[in-house]
Protein backbone atom coordinates (compact mmCIF):
# COMPACT_ATOMS: atom_id res chain seq x y z
CA UNK A 1 0.00 0.00 0.00
CA UNK A 2 1.32 3.42 -0.94
CA UNK A 3 1.73 5.64 2.13
CA UNK A 4 1.16 9.37 2.46
CA UNK A 5 4.84 9.93 3.20
CA UNK A 6 5.65 8.07 -0.04
CA UNK A 7 3.36 10.44 -1.94
CA UNK A 8 4.85 13.59 -0.42
CA UNK A 9 8.42 12.71 -1.45
CA UNK A 10 7.56 12.84 -5.14
CA UNK A 11 4.52 15.18 -5.20
CA UNK A 12 6.65 18.03 -3.88
CA UNK A 13 8.35 18.04 -7.30
CA UNK A 14 4.94 18.38 -8.96
CA UNK A 15 4.20 21.37 -6.77
CA UNK A 16 7.54 23.02 -7.59
CA UNK A 17 9.41 21.45 -10.54
CA UNK A 18 12.25 23.94 -10.06
CA UNK A 19 13.03 22.22 -6.77
CA UNK A 20 14.82 19.49 -8.73
CA UNK A 21 17.54 21.81 -10.02
CA UNK A 22 18.03 23.37 -6.60
CA UNK A 23 18.15 20.02 -4.80
CA UNK A 24 20.45 18.45 -7.40
CA UNK A 25 23.13 21.02 -6.55
CA UNK A 26 23.59 19.20 -3.24
CA UNK A 27 24.53 16.14 -5.30
CA UNK A 28 27.14 18.08 -7.25
CA UNK A 29 25.08 17.99 -10.45
CA UNK A 30 24.11 21.23 -12.21
CA UNK A 31 20.77 21.25 -14.01
CA UNK A 32 19.42 24.52 -15.40
CA UNK A 33 16.15 25.68 -13.83
CA UNK A 34 13.08 24.99 -15.97
CA UNK A 35 11.46 27.82 -17.86
CA UNK A 36 8.37 25.62 -17.99
CA UNK A 37 7.35 22.18 -16.77
CA UNK A 38 4.55 19.91 -17.95
CA UNK A 39 3.16 17.06 -15.89
CA UNK A 40 2.85 13.91 -18.00
CA UNK A 41 0.88 10.74 -17.52
CA UNK A 42 2.51 8.39 -15.04
CA UNK A 43 0.86 5.36 -16.65
CA UNK A 44 3.54 3.29 -18.39
CA UNK A 45 1.25 0.32 -18.98
CA UNK A 46 1.72 -1.74 -22.14
CA UNK A 47 -1.15 -3.23 -24.14
CA UNK A 48 -0.49 -6.50 -22.34
CA UNK A 49 -2.06 -6.89 -18.87
CA UNK A 50 0.99 -5.58 -17.03
CA UNK A 51 0.59 -2.22 -15.31
CA UNK A 52 3.65 -0.07 -14.62
CA UNK A 53 3.48 3.38 -13.10
CA UNK A 54 6.24 5.81 -12.26
CA UNK A 55 5.50 7.99 -9.22
CA UNK A 56 5.90 11.39 -10.91
CA UNK A 57 6.85 12.21 -14.50
CA UNK A 58 7.60 15.78 -15.60
CA UNK A 59 8.80 17.27 -18.87
CA UNK A 60 11.33 19.94 -17.94
CA UNK A 61 11.97 22.60 -20.57
CA UNK A 62 15.08 24.69 -19.93
CA UNK A 63 17.14 27.22 -21.86
CA UNK A 64 19.62 24.41 -22.57
CA UNK A 65 17.02 21.99 -23.87
CA UNK A 66 14.42 19.59 -22.49
CA UNK A 67 14.54 16.42 -20.42
CA UNK A 68 12.07 14.13 -18.69
CA UNK A 69 12.27 13.88 -14.90
CA UNK A 70 11.00 10.59 -13.45
CA UNK A 71 10.74 10.83 -9.66
CA UNK A 72 10.46 7.67 -7.56
CA UNK A 73 9.82 7.67 -3.81
CA UNK A 74 11.50 4.58 -2.38
CA UNK A 75 10.84 3.41 1.19
CA UNK A 76 13.13 0.38 1.34
CA UNK A 77 15.51 -1.64 -0.85
CA UNK A 78 13.72 -3.79 -3.40
CA UNK A 79 15.73 -6.15 -5.64
CA UNK A 80 13.30 -5.86 -8.56
CA UNK A 81 13.27 -2.05 -8.66
CA UNK A 82 16.36 -1.44 -10.82
CA UNK A 83 14.79 -3.49 -13.61
CA UNK A 84 11.55 -1.51 -13.28
CA UNK A 85 13.43 1.79 -13.31
CA UNK A 86 15.36 0.77 -16.42
CA UNK A 87 12.04 -0.08 -18.06
CA UNK A 88 10.56 3.29 -17.09
CA UNK A 89 13.47 5.21 -18.61
CA UNK A 90 13.52 3.13 -21.79
CA UNK A 91 9.77 3.41 -22.21
CA UNK A 92 9.51 7.18 -21.75
CA UNK A 93 12.51 7.75 -24.01
CA UNK A 94 10.93 5.63 -26.73
CA UNK A 95 7.56 7.32 -26.25
CA UNK A 96 8.59 10.98 -25.95
CA UNK A 97 12.04 10.96 -27.61
CA UNK A 98 13.30 13.24 -24.84
CA UNK A 99 16.31 12.30 -22.62
CA UNK A 100 15.12 11.00 -19.22
CA UNK A 101 16.60 11.48 -15.74
CA UNK A 102 15.68 9.23 -12.81
CA UNK A 103 15.53 10.81 -9.34
CA UNK A 104 15.01 8.47 -6.38
CA UNK A 105 14.02 10.14 -3.09
CA UNK A 106 14.61 8.13 0.09
CA UNK A 107 13.89 9.12 3.70
CA UNK A 108 16.10 6.27 4.89
CA UNK A 109 19.92 6.29 4.68
CA UNK A 110 20.22 2.56 4.03
CA UNK A 111 17.73 2.78 1.19
CA UNK A 112 19.45 5.85 -0.24
CA UNK A 113 22.82 4.06 -0.29
CA UNK A 114 21.24 1.05 -1.98
CA UNK A 115 19.42 3.15 -4.60
CA UNK A 116 22.57 5.13 -5.49
CA UNK A 117 24.39 2.08 -6.86
CA UNK A 118 25.12 2.01 -10.56
CA UNK A 119 23.48 -1.04 -12.12
CA UNK A 120 24.88 -2.58 -15.30
CA UNK A 121 22.27 -4.50 -17.27
CA UNK A 122 23.62 -7.16 -19.59
CA UNK A 123 26.44 -9.71 -19.56
CA UNK A 124 29.62 -8.87 -17.69
CA UNK A 125 31.61 -8.75 -20.91
CA UNK A 126 29.41 -6.06 -22.46
CA UNK A 127 26.60 -4.44 -20.45
CA UNK A 128 24.07 -3.02 -22.90
CA UNK A 129 22.46 -0.63 -20.47
CA UNK A 130 23.68 1.18 -17.36
CA UNK A 131 21.24 2.53 -14.79
CA UNK A 132 22.63 5.54 -12.91
CA UNK A 133 19.93 7.23 -10.80
CA UNK A 134 20.29 10.47 -8.91
CA UNK A 135 19.39 9.89 -5.26
CA UNK A 136 18.26 12.38 -2.61
CA UNK A 137 18.48 11.06 0.94
CA UNK A 138 18.83 12.57 4.43
CA UNK A 139 22.55 13.19 3.90
CA UNK A 140 22.00 14.99 0.59
CA UNK A 141 19.55 17.69 1.68
CA UNK A 142 20.64 20.13 4.41
CA UNK A 143 18.83 20.70 7.71
CA UNK A 144 17.06 24.02 7.23
CA UNK A 145 16.44 25.35 10.74
CA UNK A 146 16.37 29.12 10.12
CA UNK A 147 12.96 30.77 9.48
CA UNK A 148 14.61 33.22 7.06
CA UNK A 149 16.27 30.42 5.12
CA UNK A 150 13.04 28.40 5.16
CA UNK A 151 11.09 31.38 3.80
CA UNK A 152 13.53 31.68 0.88
CA UNK A 153 12.80 28.12 -0.28
CA UNK A 154 9.76 26.55 1.35
CA UNK A 155 9.56 23.52 -1.01
CA UNK A 156 13.18 22.60 -0.19
CA UNK A 157 12.39 23.03 3.52
CA UNK A 158 9.38 20.70 3.19
CA UNK A 159 11.67 18.15 1.53
CA UNK A 160 14.26 18.69 4.28
CA UNK A 161 11.61 18.01 6.94
CA UNK A 162 10.44 14.83 5.22
CA UNK A 163 13.95 13.44 4.74
CA UNK A 164 15.13 14.34 8.27
CA UNK A 165 11.88 13.32 9.99
CA UNK A 166 13.65 10.74 12.19
CA UNK A 167 16.70 12.91 12.90
CA UNK A 168 17.32 15.11 15.98
CA UNK A 169 17.14 18.22 13.78
CA UNK A 170 13.54 17.57 12.71
CA UNK A 171 12.04 19.76 15.46
CA UNK A 172 14.13 22.77 14.44
CA UNK A 173 13.18 22.34 10.78
CA UNK A 174 9.48 22.20 11.62
CA UNK A 175 9.63 25.25 13.87
CA UNK A 176 11.40 27.21 11.13
CA UNK A 177 8.93 26.01 8.49
CA UNK A 178 5.90 26.89 10.61
CA UNK A 179 7.14 30.47 11.02
CA UNK A 180 7.98 30.79 7.33
CA UNK A 181 4.56 29.56 6.25
CA UNK A 182 2.82 32.38 8.12
CA UNK A 183 4.23 34.90 5.66
CA UNK A 184 3.24 32.73 2.70
CA UNK A 185 -0.32 32.28 3.93
CA UNK A 186 -0.80 36.02 4.10
CA UNK A 187 -0.30 36.23 0.32
CA UNK A 188 -1.46 32.83 -0.92
CA UNK A 189 -3.45 30.67 1.48
CA UNK A 190 -3.96 27.85 -1.04
CA UNK A 191 -0.20 27.48 -1.58
CA UNK A 192 0.44 27.53 2.17
CA UNK A 193 -2.24 24.88 2.65
CA UNK A 194 -0.62 22.63 0.03
CA UNK A 195 2.80 22.82 1.68
CA UNK A 196 1.35 22.30 5.16
CA UNK A 197 -0.44 19.16 4.08
CA UNK A 198 2.55 17.88 2.07
CA UNK A 199 4.67 18.33 5.20
CA UNK A 200 2.18 16.37 7.29
CA UNK A 201 2.15 13.57 4.71
CA UNK A 202 5.93 13.54 4.43
CA UNK A 203 6.40 13.12 8.18
CA UNK A 204 4.42 9.87 8.18
CA UNK A 205 3.78 8.39 11.62
CA UNK A 206 6.92 9.73 13.28
CA UNK A 207 7.04 11.80 16.48
CA UNK A 208 7.85 14.78 14.29
CA UNK A 209 4.36 14.44 12.78
CA UNK A 210 2.82 14.91 16.24
CA UNK A 211 4.85 18.07 16.76
CA UNK A 212 3.84 19.39 13.33
CA UNK A 213 0.13 18.91 13.99
CA UNK A 214 0.43 20.82 17.24
CA UNK A 215 2.51 23.57 15.71
CA UNK A 216 -0.32 24.04 13.25
CA UNK A 217 -2.86 23.99 16.07
CA UNK A 218 -1.07 26.65 18.15
CA UNK A 219 -2.23 29.46 15.84
CA UNK A 220 -4.79 28.51 13.22
CA UNK A 221 -5.69 32.12 12.45
CA UNK A 222 -3.35 32.00 9.43
CA UNK A 223 -4.32 28.50 8.32
CA UNK A 224 -7.81 27.70 7.12
CA UNK A 225 -7.11 24.42 5.34
CA UNK A 226 -8.97 21.15 5.60
CA UNK A 227 -6.36 19.99 8.11
CA UNK A 228 -7.12 22.98 10.36
CA UNK A 229 -10.85 22.37 10.11
CA UNK A 230 -10.27 18.75 11.05
CA UNK A 231 -8.24 19.83 14.07
CA UNK A 232 -11.06 22.12 15.19
CA UNK A 233 -13.55 19.28 14.78
CA UNK A 234 -11.32 16.99 16.78
CA UNK A 235 -11.05 19.72 19.41
CA UNK A 236 -14.79 19.41 20.00
CA UNK A 237 -14.71 15.64 20.08
CA UNK A 238 -14.73 13.66 23.27
CA UNK A 239 -11.31 12.60 24.39
CA UNK A 240 -9.37 15.61 23.09
CA UNK A 241 -7.93 16.32 26.52
CA UNK A 242 -6.62 12.76 26.78
CA UNK A 243 -5.01 13.06 23.35
CA UNK A 244 -3.37 16.39 24.19
CA UNK A 245 -2.04 15.04 27.46
CA UNK A 246 -0.50 12.09 25.61
CA UNK A 247 1.08 14.40 23.02
CA UNK A 248 2.45 16.66 25.75
CA UNK A 249 4.12 13.73 27.48
CA UNK A 250 5.54 12.53 24.16
CA UNK A 251 6.99 15.98 23.49
CA UNK A 252 8.54 16.18 26.97
CA UNK A 253 10.09 12.76 26.50
CA UNK A 254 11.40 13.70 23.07
CA UNK A 255 12.97 16.91 24.46
CA UNK A 256 14.45 15.12 27.49
CA UNK A 257 12.52 17.12 30.10
CA UNK A 258 12.26 15.18 33.37
CA UNK A 259 8.67 14.46 34.43
CA UNK A 260 7.95 13.33 37.97
CA UNK A 261 5.11 10.96 38.77
CA UNK A 262 3.21 13.87 40.34
CA UNK A 263 3.69 16.00 37.20
CA UNK A 264 2.58 13.10 35.03
CA UNK A 265 -0.59 12.64 37.10
CA UNK A 266 -1.29 16.37 36.84
CA UNK A 267 -0.99 16.32 33.06
CA UNK A 268 -3.03 13.15 32.60
CA UNK A 269 -5.63 14.36 35.09
CA UNK A 270 -6.16 17.74 33.45
CA UNK A 271 -9.46 17.71 31.59
CA UNK A 272 -9.18 21.18 30.04
CA UNK A 273 -7.91 21.04 26.43
CA UNK A 274 -7.11 24.77 26.48
CA UNK A 275 -4.86 24.41 29.54
CA UNK A 276 -3.15 21.38 28.00
CA UNK A 277 -2.66 23.32 24.78
CA UNK A 278 -1.05 26.16 26.69
CA UNK A 279 1.22 23.73 28.51
CA UNK A 280 2.19 22.17 25.16
CA UNK A 281 3.18 25.58 23.76
CA UNK A 282 5.24 26.25 26.87
CA UNK A 283 6.86 22.81 26.53
CA UNK A 284 8.29 23.71 23.12
CA UNK A 285 10.94 25.83 24.86
CA UNK A 286 10.72 25.01 28.60
CA UNK A 287 13.50 23.09 30.31
CA UNK A 288 11.45 21.91 33.31
CA UNK A 289 7.85 21.12 34.18
CA UNK A 290 7.89 24.04 36.63
CA UNK A 291 8.33 26.40 33.67
CA UNK A 292 5.53 24.68 31.80
CA UNK A 293 3.06 25.10 34.63
CA UNK A 294 4.17 28.51 35.93
CA UNK A 295 5.07 30.53 32.85
CA UNK A 296 1.43 30.94 31.86
CA UNK A 297 0.48 32.14 35.32
CA UNK A 298 -0.55 28.76 36.59
CA UNK A 299 -0.34 28.03 40.27
CA UNK A 300 1.30 24.97 41.69
CA UNK A 301 -2.11 23.39 42.30
CA UNK A 302 -3.48 20.82 39.97
CA UNK A 303 -6.26 21.91 37.63
Amino acid sequence: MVSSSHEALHRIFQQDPGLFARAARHLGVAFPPPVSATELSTDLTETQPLERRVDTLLRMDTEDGSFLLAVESQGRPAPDKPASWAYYLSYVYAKYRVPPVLLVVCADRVTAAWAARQVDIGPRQWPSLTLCPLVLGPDDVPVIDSPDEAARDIPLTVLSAALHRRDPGADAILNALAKALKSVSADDEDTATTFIELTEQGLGTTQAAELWRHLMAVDLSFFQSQTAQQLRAEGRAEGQAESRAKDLLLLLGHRGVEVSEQDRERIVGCGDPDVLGRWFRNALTATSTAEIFASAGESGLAD
Side-chain angles (χ1 to χ4, degrees):
M1 180 179 295
V2 177
S3 65
S4 294
S5 58
H6 172 101
E7 291 293 311
L9 288 179
H10 69 86
R11 280 188 55 219
I12 186 67
F13 292 92
Q14 297 175 16
Q15 182 66 27
D16 181 7
L19 174 61
F20 169 68
R22 301 195 302 276
R25 295 192 200 113
H26 299 287
L27 301 173
V29 184
F31 281 90
V35 293
S36 67
T38 306
E39 190 172 343
L40 304 176
S41 172
T42 61
D43 189 350
L44 307 183
T45 307
E46 296 179 331
T47 55
Q48 298 148 335
L50 177 62
E51 183 175 324
R52 298 180 186 268
R53 289 183 181 272
V54 64
D55 286 336
T56 284
L57 183 62
L58 300 169
R59 179 187 173 112
M60 309 286 271
D61 299 313
T62 78
E63 293 181 350
D64 292 340
S66 302
F67 64 93
L68 299 181
L69 177 64
V71 185
E72 282 280 284
S73 173
Q74 190 67 26
R76 62 182 181 275
D80 60 334
K81 267 297 182 178
S84 296
W85 291 338
Y87 172 88
Y88 297 164
L89 296 177
S90 298
Y91 181 93
V92 298
Y93 184 58
K95 180 176 181 178
Y96 296 105
R97 299 296 178 181
V98 178
V101 174
L102 173 63
L103 175 67
V104 183
V105 189
C106 310
D108 173 78
R109 287 177 172 82
V110 172
T111 304
W114 164 83
R117 297 175 306 164
Q118 177 176 302
V119 178
D120 293 324
I121 299 174
R124 175 179 55 81
Q125 296 87 341
W126 192 269
S128 298
L129 187 66
T130 297
L131 179 69
C132 189
L134 284 172
V135 177
L136 284 174
D139 294 332
D140 303 306
V141 175
V143 171
I144 300 176
D145 54 9
S146 160
D148 290 340
E149 187 179 358
R152 284 193 293 270
D153 198 336
I154 285 180
L156 185 61
T157 308
V158 173
L159 182 62
S160 176
L163 294 182
H164 291 284
R165 61 195 182 197
R166 296 185 182 89
D167 294 345
D171 291 6
I173 300 172
L174 296 178
N175 277 285
L177 180 58
K179 292 175 182 176
L181 281 169
K182 289 187 179 183
S183 61
V184 174
S185 63
D187 300 323
D188 188 346
E189 185 177 311
D190 289 340
T191 298
T193 296
T194 298
F195 288 133
I196 288 168
E197 293 178 349
L198 273 173
T199 301
E200 184 170 347
Q201 289 179 350
L203 296 174
T205 58
T206 60
Q207 284 190 344
E210 296 293 328
L211 173 60
W212 180 247
R213 281 191 284 271
H214 281 279
L215 284 173
M216 292 298 95
V218 167
D219 181 7
L220 293 176
S221 62
F222 72 96
F223 175 38
Q224 303 297 326
S225 76
Q226 182 177 356
T227 302
Q229 295 170 11
Q230 181 180 354
L231 284 169
R232 290 192 183 94
E234 290 175 354
R236 294 190 295 268
E238 184 179 356
Q240 184 190 28
E242 180 181 351
S243 177
R244 287 194 174 184
K246 179 181 177 181
D247 291 338
L248 174 56
L249 290 171
L250 281 173
L251 174 62
L252 293 174
H254 186 62
R255 296 195 62 239
V257 177
E258 184 176 352
V259 180
S260 68
E261 189 60 34
Q262 183 179 0
D263 291 335
R264 183 179 299 275
E265 290 177 1
R266 179 178 181 181
I267 292 170
V268 173
C270 180
D272 189 333
D274 292 334
V275 171
L276 286 164
R278 186 164 63 248
W279 288 349
F280 187 93
R281 292 192 292 273
N282 295 338
L284 293 173
T285 56
T287 58
S288 69
T289 54
E291 290 181 39
I292 294 170
F293 298 139
S295 59
E298 297 290 328
S299 68
L301 300 177
D303 290 82

